[in-house]
Amino acid sequence: MSEVALKIRIITPYGIEWEGDADFISFRSTEGEIGYLPERAPALMELTVDVMKVRSGSNTLQFAVHGGYVLQEREGLTIVTDAAETPEEISVERAKQRLKRAEELLQVSKSRRERARNEAKLQRHMLRIEIGSRG
């Protein structure tokens, strides 16, 4: 691990999902793929629904994050998201069932709002299948 570690906190509505030191973190923001090393300039970014990787020494943790925000301060990052799931927490079978249902709902969506909501569900379930299959 580098001499100066990033202090990472991943917070969901249910509490702190993960907290610890890391050498590197990568995620997808609305601006594109981002990677952080310790002592970067402060920033605030919006997260997309995608994989977040946290490298700590020889370990790399992966989380399925469902949007949210990243606040980068000099010594660390705070991630606030609706959900941050590890591969071990994901039921691929259940995600496949929900993906099928979301696809069906998308076909019959009448309003733009309903269509956007169902597309977001589709995206989350596809991510769960991707990450859950790795675990």
Side-chain angles (χ1 to χ4, degrees):
M1 203 143 107
S2 65
E3 285 185 34
V4 178
L6 281 168
K7 306 272 186 228
I8 309 277
R9 274 188 0 168
I10 301 174
I11 302 170
T12 71
Y14 305 102
I16 296 173
E17 177 70 25
W18 188 83
E19 186 171 28
D21 292 342
D23 302 312
F24 180 76
I25 183 169
S26 65
F27 53 88
R28 182 168 299 282
S29 77
T30 56
E31 303 297 316
E33 187 73 25
I34 304 287
Y36 270 108
L37 295 166
E39 300 181 342
R40 272 215 46 179
L44 177 64
M45 286 167 280
E46 186 176 355
L47 284 171
T48 62
V49 174
D50 207 350
V51 178
M52 175 178 284
K53 295 179 184 175
V54 178
R55 189 179 71 218
S56 181
S58 61
N59 295 330
T60 299
L61 304 169
Q62 295 184 62
F63 296 92
V65 293
H66 298 213
Y69 293 91
V70 174
L71 171 61
Q72 164 66 40
E73 299 171 292
R74 288 238 180 250
E75 295 81 31
L77 279 97
T78 301
I79 295 100
V80 179
T81 181
D82 287 337
E85 301 167 298
T86 63
E88 299 78 27
E89 296 172 323
I90 295 171
S91 165
V92 174
E93 233 9 82
R94 187 173 50 201
K96 286 179 180 177
Q97 292 169 0
R98 290 183 176 174
L99 175 67
K100 184 177 180 189
R101 180 69 180 139
E103 288 170 337
E104 291 168 357
L105 289 172
L106 191 58
Q107 296 297 319
V108 296
S109 297
K110 292 182 172 57
S111 70
R112 239 171 63 188
R113 173 184 267 179
E114 192 178 339
R115 184 166 183 76
R117 189 177 314 122
N118 289 324
E119 284 174 351
K121 286 179 185 177
L122 195 73
Q123 211 177 17
R124 288 192 302 269
H125 297 312
M126 287 173 27
L127 176 61
R128 284 183 175 119
I129 292 167
E130 177 189 340
I131 276 226
S133 298
R134 296 178 188 176

Tab-separated table of all heavy atoms in Angstrom, residues 49 64 95-96 98-99 102-103 119-133:
chain	number	residue	atom	x	y	z
A	49	VAL	N	-24.892	4.156	-12.790
A	49	VAL	CA	-25.093	2.769	-12.373
A	49	VAL	C	-23.983	1.972	-13.032
A	49	VAL	O	-23.963	1.818	-14.253
A	49	VAL	CB	-26.488	2.258	-12.811
A	49	VAL	CG1	-26.642	0.774	-12.507
A	49	VAL	CG2	-27.580	3.078	-12.151
A	64	ALA	N	-21.443	-3.039	-6.992
A	64	ALA	CA	-22.424	-2.569	-7.964
A	64	ALA	C	-23.050	-1.335	-7.324
A	64	ALA	O	-23.737	-1.447	-6.319
A	64	ALA	CB	-23.478	-3.634	-8.227
A	95	ALA	N	-31.854	-11.628	-9.971
A	95	ALA	CA	-31.608	-10.507	-10.880
A	95	ALA	C	-32.075	-10.839	-12.300
A	95	ALA	O	-32.641	-9.982	-12.983
A	95	ALA	CB	-30.124	-10.141	-10.879
A	96	LYS	N	-31.881	-12.079	-12.736
A	96	LYS	CA	-32.338	-12.496	-14.076
A	96	LYS	C	-33.858	-12.450	-14.170
A	96	LYS	O	-34.413	-12.012	-15.178
A	96	LYS	CB	-31.821	-13.896	-14.412
A	96	LYS	CG	-30.346	-13.925	-14.748
A	96	LYS	CD	-29.873	-15.333	-15.052
A	96	LYS	CE	-28.399	-15.349	-15.390
A	96	LYS	NZ	-27.897	-16.716	-15.618
A	98	ARG	N	-35.855	-10.546	-12.341
A	98	ARG	CA	-36.272	-9.140	-12.314
A	98	ARG	C	-35.923	-8.429	-13.619
A	98	ARG	O	-36.646	-7.526	-14.038
A	98	ARG	CB	-35.645	-8.434	-11.117
A	98	ARG	CG	-36.256	-8.906	-9.818
A	98	ARG	CD	-35.706	-8.180	-8.639
A	98	ARG	NE	-36.383	-8.605	-7.420
A	98	ARG	CZ	-36.036	-8.216	-6.230
A	98	ARG	NH1	-35.023	-7.381	-6.056
A	98	ARG	NH2	-36.689	-8.641	-5.172
A	99	LEU	N	-34.836	-8.831	-14.263
A	99	LEU	CA	-34.473	-8.261	-15.558
A	99	LEU	C	-35.545	-8.590	-16.583
A	99	LEU	O	-35.988	-7.717	-17.336
A	99	LEU	CB	-33.113	-8.805	-16.015
A	99	LEU	CG	-32.664	-8.391	-17.425
A	99	LEU	CD1	-32.396	-6.888	-17.477
A	99	LEU	CD2	-31.420	-9.160	-17.832
A	102	ALA	N	-38.509	-6.447	-15.884
A	102	ALA	CA	-38.249	-5.052	-16.289
A	102	ALA	C	-38.338	-4.905	-17.802
A	102	ALA	O	-38.858	-3.896	-18.303
A	102	ALA	CB	-36.877	-4.600	-15.783
A	103	GLU	N	-37.863	-5.897	-18.550
A	103	GLU	CA	-37.971	-5.855	-20.018
A	103	GLU	C	-39.431	-5.867	-20.451
A	103	GLU	O	-39.824	-5.144	-21.363
A	103	GLU	CB	-37.224	-7.045	-20.636
A	103	GLU	CG	-35.720	-6.922	-20.549
A	103	GLU	CD	-34.972	-8.188	-20.942
A	103	GLU	OE1	-35.561	-9.307	-20.869
A	103	GLU	OE2	-33.786	-8.069	-21.303
A	119	GLU	N	-36.317	1.642	-17.584
A	119	GLU	CA	-34.962	1.545	-18.140
A	119	GLU	C	-33.918	1.540	-17.033
A	119	GLU	O	-32.924	0.811	-17.108
A	119	GLU	CB	-34.693	2.697	-19.121
A	119	GLU	CG	-35.370	2.507	-20.454
A	119	GLU	CD	-35.225	3.700	-21.389
A	119	GLU	OE1	-34.738	4.773	-20.954
A	119	GLU	OE2	-35.617	3.561	-22.557
A	120	ALA	N	-34.143	2.332	-15.977
A	120	ALA	CA	-33.222	2.358	-14.841
A	120	ALA	C	-33.220	1.001	-14.125
A	120	ALA	O	-32.157	0.497	-13.744
A	120	ALA	CB	-33.603	3.479	-13.869
A	121	LYS	N	-34.386	0.395	-13.960
A	121	LYS	CA	-34.466	-0.934	-13.347
A	121	LYS	C	-33.701	-1.945	-14.197
A	121	LYS	O	-32.953	-2.775	-13.667
A	121	LYS	CB	-35.929	-1.381	-13.220
A	121	LYS	CG	-36.695	-0.698	-12.138
A	121	LYS	CD	-38.123	-1.202	-12.116
A	121	LYS	CE	-38.961	-0.430	-11.113
A	121	LYS	NZ	-40.361	-0.856	-11.124
A	122	LEU	N	-33.893	-1.867	-15.502
A	122	LEU	CA	-33.202	-2.758	-16.428
A	122	LEU	C	-31.691	-2.638	-16.266
A	122	LEU	O	-30.985	-3.644	-16.147
A	122	LEU	CB	-33.624	-2.383	-17.860
A	122	LEU	CG	-33.322	-3.349	-18.963
A	122	LEU	CD1	-34.245	-4.553	-18.877
A	122	LEU	CD2	-33.524	-2.658	-20.303
A	123	GLN	N	-31.212	-1.424	-16.198
A	123	GLN	CA	-29.782	-1.155	-16.039
A	123	GLN	C	-29.246	-1.741	-14.723
A	123	GLN	O	-28.183	-2.365	-14.702
A	123	GLN	CB	-29.574	0.363	-16.058
A	123	GLN	CG	-28.282	0.814	-16.616
A	123	GLN	CD	-28.210	2.340	-16.644
A	123	GLN	OE1	-28.961	3.060	-15.985
A	123	GLN	NE2	-27.273	2.836	-17.413
A	124	ARG	N	-29.968	-1.551	-13.644
A	124	ARG	CA	-29.529	-2.059	-12.336
A	124	ARG	C	-29.471	-3.580	-12.322
A	124	ARG	O	-28.527	-4.173	-11.804
A	124	ARG	CB	-30.437	-1.543	-11.218
A	124	ARG	CG	-30.243	-0.069	-10.925
A	124	ARG	CD	-30.931	0.360	-9.647
A	124	ARG	NE	-32.358	0.105	-9.629
A	124	ARG	CZ	-33.294	0.969	-10.031
A	124	ARG	NH1	-32.942	2.157	-10.472
A	124	ARG	NH2	-34.567	0.657	-9.974
A	125	HIS	N	-30.482	-4.232	-12.907
A	125	HIS	CA	-30.505	-5.696	-12.913
A	125	HIS	C	-29.402	-6.263	-13.821
A	125	HIS	O	-28.792	-7.283	-13.483
A	125	HIS	CB	-31.874	-6.223	-13.320
A	125	HIS	CG	-32.957	-5.841	-12.354
A	125	HIS	ND1	-32.833	-5.987	-10.985
A	125	HIS	CD2	-34.174	-5.291	-12.548
A	125	HIS	CE1	-33.925	-5.555	-10.388
A	125	HIS	NE2	-34.751	-5.122	-11.319
A	126	MET	N	-29.123	-5.605	-14.930
A	126	MET	CA	-28.023	-6.050	-15.798
A	126	MET	C	-26.692	-5.936	-15.056
A	126	MET	O	-25.841	-6.824	-15.157
A	126	MET	CB	-28.016	-5.238	-17.099
A	126	MET	CG	-29.151	-5.627	-18.013
A	126	MET	SD	-29.418	-4.634	-19.522
A	126	MET	CE	-27.876	-3.964	-19.940
A	127	LEU	N	-26.502	-4.864	-14.300
A	127	LEU	CA	-25.287	-4.691	-13.513
A	127	LEU	C	-25.185	-5.778	-12.445
A	127	LEU	O	-24.116	-6.358	-12.228
A	127	LEU	CB	-25.251	-3.304	-12.869
A	127	LEU	CG	-24.078	-3.019	-11.934
A	127	LEU	CD1	-22.748	-3.131	-12.678
A	127	LEU	CD2	-24.232	-1.650	-11.298
A	128	ARG	N	-26.296	-6.073	-11.779
A	128	ARG	CA	-26.282	-7.130	-10.757
A	128	ARG	C	-25.859	-8.466	-11.361
A	128	ARG	O	-25.072	-9.197	-10.771
A	128	ARG	CB	-27.666	-7.262	-10.124
A	128	ARG	CG	-27.998	-6.172	-9.153
A	128	ARG	CD	-29.360	-6.419	-8.506
A	128	ARG	NE	-29.610	-5.425	-7.495
A	128	ARG	CZ	-30.633	-4.574	-7.538
A	128	ARG	NH1	-31.499	-4.605	-8.532
A	128	ARG	NH2	-30.792	-3.695	-6.579
A	129	ILE	N	-26.382	-8.774	-12.535
A	129	ILE	CA	-26.025	-10.037	-13.197
A	129	ILE	C	-24.536	-10.040	-13.534
A	129	ILE	O	-23.838	-11.020	-13.286
A	129	ILE	CB	-26.893	-10.256	-14.464
A	129	ILE	CG1	-28.339	-10.513	-14.052
A	129	ILE	CG2	-26.335	-11.406	-15.306
A	129	ILE	CD1	-29.339	-10.426	-15.173
A	130	GLU	N	-24.042	-8.921	-14.074
A	130	GLU	CA	-22.615	-8.812	-14.421
A	130	GLU	C	-21.731	-9.010	-13.193
A	130	GLU	O	-20.806	-9.820	-13.202
A	130	GLU	CB	-22.333	-7.456	-15.053
A	130	GLU	CG	-20.877	-7.233	-15.387
A	130	GLU	CD	-20.581	-5.822	-15.818
A	130	GLU	OE1	-21.501	-5.082	-16.220
A	130	GLU	OE2	-19.387	-5.432	-15.760
A	131	ILE	N	-22.009	-8.286	-12.126
A	131	ILE	CA	-21.167	-8.359	-10.921
A	131	ILE	C	-21.383	-9.661	-10.171
A	131	ILE	O	-20.432	-10.270	-9.702
A	131	ILE	CB	-21.461	-7.149	-10.004
A	131	ILE	CG1	-20.642	-5.990	-10.474
A	131	ILE	CG2	-21.164	-7.443	-8.579
A	131	ILE	CD1	-19.943	-5.233	-9.422
A	132	GLY	N	-22.616	-10.100	-10.061
A	132	GLY	CA	-22.913	-11.345	-9.333
A	132	GLY	C	-22.299	-12.559	-9.999
A	132	GLY	O	-21.934	-13.521	-9.322
A	133	SER	N	-22.154	-12.534	-11.299
A	133	SER	CA	-21.554	-13.645	-12.031
A	133	SER	C	-20.061	-13.748	-11.788
A	133	SER	O	-19.451	-14.793	-11.988
A	133	SER	CB	-21.815	-13.503	-13.535
A	133	SER	OG	-23.209	-13.536	-13.784
